[in-house]
Amino acid sequence: MENDSEPEQSCWAYLPNVCLSHVFWWLDDRDRSRAALVCKRWNQAMYSGSLWRTRTITFSGRPSRSNISEFESTLWYVKRFGKYLEHLEIKFLNPYNAVLTRKFQVTMRGLLSRLGKCNSRLVSLTIQHLELDRLVWRNIIRNQFIKNLIIFLKRMGIHLVHLSLKGARVTLEEGCELLSSLSYLKNKSFASEINIEDFFSHYLSIYSSPLFHQTMSTFRNLVILTLNYNCISNELLEILCKHNAHSLWTINIKCHIHDPHGQVVWGMSWANLAKRAPKLKVNFFFERVMKHDSLARILLAEIPLRSISLRSCYFSDPDWSMRPTLTNLLPAYKHILQKLTLEFNNSHESLDEELLQLVLSCKKLFFLKIWAFLRVAFVERLLQNQAEGKCTLRTMKVRIYTNRYETIEEDRMLRDIFRRYRDLIDSELNYFVIAYPMM
């Protein structure tokens, strides 16, 4: 006798939509497309907006056969799913030649044009490390890319909450036009997070530009602002105080040796901003700006400093001393400093005692990273003080430089220290300590 009943269906046929969407979320584009061919319901699952809200698009900057598929898959994605996009990150990794930058520019023109027409949800855009001042960017390619991006930002600026163009390396005029695009429709922008670190080309004194000040005055709801110290001025702090004090939470400032940093900024300007924006936290990142005189002109006592990073990038200067900074400058923030990163070559002076006293004086310090010439005993003393409750670190990362290729003895001593304080380390610390030959 023939069985006329319907064939038994797989358990996958009864999978709830929320579970099916979660399965699709873990698949890449190729596997999603294949899975969508299984049945009508799975095809519908592929077009769930939740799958396509966040996207990172990566372009290789090296010639390869995969370049064509990268550019083609990008346009395929935007045409099909661009309307769902909310968070977009674009990476163009170390472009090798002008042919690839041209291909990237043409692809971005199509991508931005399509998104500008079909998308009304985009709130976050990140395009970092383009380095548009490199020779691989021919002027005509560079100018066309910037023009396309400006047109896009004018369309989408009303929606964007987060914009990062870190490492773009544009001129003052180009940079201000890009930023002004966000306020094109309403003459003001309500973006809350802007990252313009290394946005302008090296050696530009942005702090003295009325055009930059006028551009920054259009932002009315900044929460997080990331920029270089060559943008900081009394005028900028006054603008932030006037238009963003109600919302401003964090300012991240990078100061690089190649950026102008000799401008005079008044302590009163910082004090007024800190008073009007009581939740404000300022984080400083110094690269090869290590001399006490330069730091003292920048690190004013009125700054609500929460984090500081001082990195010399392995450069050594026998005429330079870190001691005045550790004993006179940084202790001014002992009541508020929370994160401290120090990476320097102090082969010409011992600083163990000064570093230990600084750490013990900063009562709110919870993150410590030190790469320097130190004695192994420094680590043991630091852990002993942690055990006695004299410091409350949660992260401790130390790289002990040595002048020898072999670090066998230091490694043995560090293992002994770890064994003695293992219970403390396991219960309280994110701990990483090594000896490192610095020749």
Side-chain angles (χ1 to χ4, degrees):
M1 184 176 179
E2 294 183 2
N3 186 358
D4 296 330
S5 61
E6 295 182 5
E8 184 178 350
Q9 289 187 319
S10 165
C11 61
W12 285 91
Y14 303 102
L15 196 67
N17 288 336
V18 64
C19 296
L20 187 58
S21 295
H22 193 67
V23 171
F24 268 77
W25 189 86
W26 287 100
L27 302 179
D28 61 23
D29 291 350
R30 186 184 298 272
D31 289 336
R32 284 179 183 177
S33 298
R34 290 172 176 169
L37 299 175
V38 170
C39 63
K40 184 177 180 179
R41 184 162 169 262
W42 282 35
N43 185 269
Q44 292 172 343
M46 180 175 175
Y47 285 85
S48 172
S50 61
L51 295 176
W52 308 100
R53 289 175 185 163
T54 300
R55 190 73 171 181
T56 297
I57 300 174
T58 303
F59 300 98
S60 173
R62 299 284 170 176
S64 69
R65 293 180 180 178
S66 64
N67 288 140
I68 296 176
S69 61
E70 287 174 356
F71 295 124
E72 290 178 348
S73 63
T74 296
L75 295 178
W76 171 85
Y77 163 76
V78 172
K79 288 177 181 177
R80 284 201 169 196
F81 307 107
K83 62 182 178 181
Y84 302 117
L85 197 58
E86 296 178 11
H87 305 272
L88 174 62
E89 180 180 11
I90 296 171
K91 297 179 179 179
F92 189 26
L93 305 176
N94 301 316
Y96 180 78
N97 58 37
V99 174
L100 288 173
T101 54
R102 173 62 177 168
K103 187 68 176 177
F104 174 77
Q105 178 263 312
V106 171
T107 303
M108 287 299 296
R109 181 180 63 194
L111 183 152
L112 296 175
S113 175
R114 182 73 182 182
L115 274 183
K117 294 174 182 177
C118 73
N119 184 288
S120 59
R121 302 184 179 190
L122 192 69
V123 295
S124 174
L125 176 63
T126 299
I127 311 177
Q128 296 191 158
H129 307 299
L130 288 175
E131 298 181 330
L132 292 167
D133 56 354
R134 290 180 57 196
L135 293 177
V136 292
W137 290 93
R138 303 278 173 81
N139 283 338
I140 188 171
I141 300 173
R142 180 178 184 276
N143 294 339
Q144 190 61 51
F145 171 77
I146 293 174
K147 179 182 177 181
N148 296 150
L149 185 55
I150 288 171
I151 293 172
F152 177 75
L153 292 177
K154 286 181 177 179
R155 288 177 178 173
M156 307 299 291
I158 192 171
H159 305 294
L160 279 179
V161 174
H162 169 274
L163 176 66
S164 176
L165 296 174
K166 176 181 177 180
R169 293 298 184 195
V170 294
T171 67
L172 171 64
E173 293 75 16
E174 291 167 341
C176 289
E177 188 173 3
L178 281 164
L179 294 175
S180 297
S181 302
L182 296 175
S183 57
Y184 176 71
L185 294 177
K186 290 190 174 182
N187 293 324
K188 60 181 70 172
S189 171
F190 292 95
S192 61
E193 184 172 355
I194 300 295
N195 187 337
I196 52 172
E197 179 184 315
D198 297 336
F199 177 60
F200 296 103
S201 296
H202 278 308
Y203 307 110
L204 295 179
S205 301
I206 308 299
Y207 59 82
S208 62
S209 168
L211 178 61
F212 177 68
H213 300 149
Q214 179 183 346
T215 301
M216 293 304 297
S217 67
T218 62
F219 292 96
R220 302 301 171 88
N221 193 47
L222 287 175
V223 177
I224 302 174
L225 175 62
T226 302
L227 73 176
N228 290 62
Y229 190 73
N230 65 336
C231 298
I232 299 294
S233 63
N234 295 307
E235 291 80 3
L236 177 63
L237 297 181
E238 184 179 346
I239 289 168
L240 294 176
C241 191
K242 181 178 179 181
H243 297 305
N244 297 277
H246 66 286
S247 59
L248 195 58
W249 192 282
T250 302
I251 302 179
N252 301 308
I253 304 173
K254 176 182 177 181
C255 185
H256 192 277
I257 188 67
H258 293 317
D259 290 330
H261 51 272
Q263 70 269 34
V264 176
V265 180
W266 301 330
M268 184 60 68
S269 298
W270 279 112
N272 289 338
L273 180 58
K275 182 178 180 181
R276 293 284 301 278
K279 297 180 180 179
L280 179 63
K281 300 179 180 66
V282 178
N283 305 313
F284 262 101
F285 305 87
F286 292 92
E287 290 194 9
R288 296 178 57 192
V289 179
M290 304 293 287
K291 292 187 177 181
H292 179 265
D293 291 347
S294 298
L295 292 171
R297 187 168 54 246
I298 297 170
L299 292 174
L300 306 178
E302 294 83 354
I303 301 175
L305 190 68
R306 295 298 186 274
S307 171
I308 185 166
S309 173
L310 291 162
R311 300 177 64 241
S312 66
C313 302
Y314 300 113
F315 286 88
S316 178
D317 182 354
D319 297 327
W320 158 81
S321 174
M322 192 68 186
R323 185 171 284 106
T325 299
L326 298 177
T327 58
N328 301 330
L329 194 55
L330 296 185
Y333 305 105
K334 63 184 180 182
H335 298 299
I336 57 176
L337 191 64
Q338 297 175 347
K339 299 179 69 175
L340 177 62
T341 298
L342 301 171
E343 300 177 21
F344 50 77
N345 185 342
N346 61 312
S347 57
H348 55 286
E349 63 176 348
S350 174
L351 296 171
D352 294 53
E353 192 63 35
E354 289 80 1
L355 284 167
L356 182 64
Q357 292 307 314
L358 175 63
V359 172
L360 295 179
S361 69
C362 296
K363 300 303 181 182
K364 294 187 177 182
L365 192 70
F366 67 84
F367 178 95
L368 176 66
K369 178 181 177 181
I370 300 177
W371 294 5
F373 281 93
L374 301 165
R375 291 186 292 272
V376 174
F378 170 83
V379 175
E380 185 169 18
R381 293 176 66 189
L382 198 54
L383 288 171
Q384 181 60 38
N385 279 280
Q386 178 85 6
E388 295 172 0
K390 295 180 181 179
C391 56
T392 55
L393 295 174
R394 296 202 296 271
T395 295
M396 178 178 166
K397 298 183 178 183
V398 180
R399 177 181 286 188
I400 300 174
Y401 291 152
T402 73
N403 282 320
R404 300 185 307 278
Y405 284 112
E406 295 293 338
T407 60
I408 297 175
E409 181 61 22
E410 288 84 356
D411 294 340
R412 183 191 63 77
M413 295 170 67
L414 289 174
R415 285 195 297 269
D416 291 342
I417 292 172
F418 179 79
R419 280 193 290 268
R420 286 198 296 273
Y421 291 92
R422 182 162 189 169
D423 290 342
L424 173 72
I425 292 169
D426 289 345
S427 62
E428 296 184 13
L429 288 172
N430 174 15
Y431 179 87
F432 180 79
V433 178
I434 62 170
Y436 184 84
M438 181 73 154
M439 305 301 293

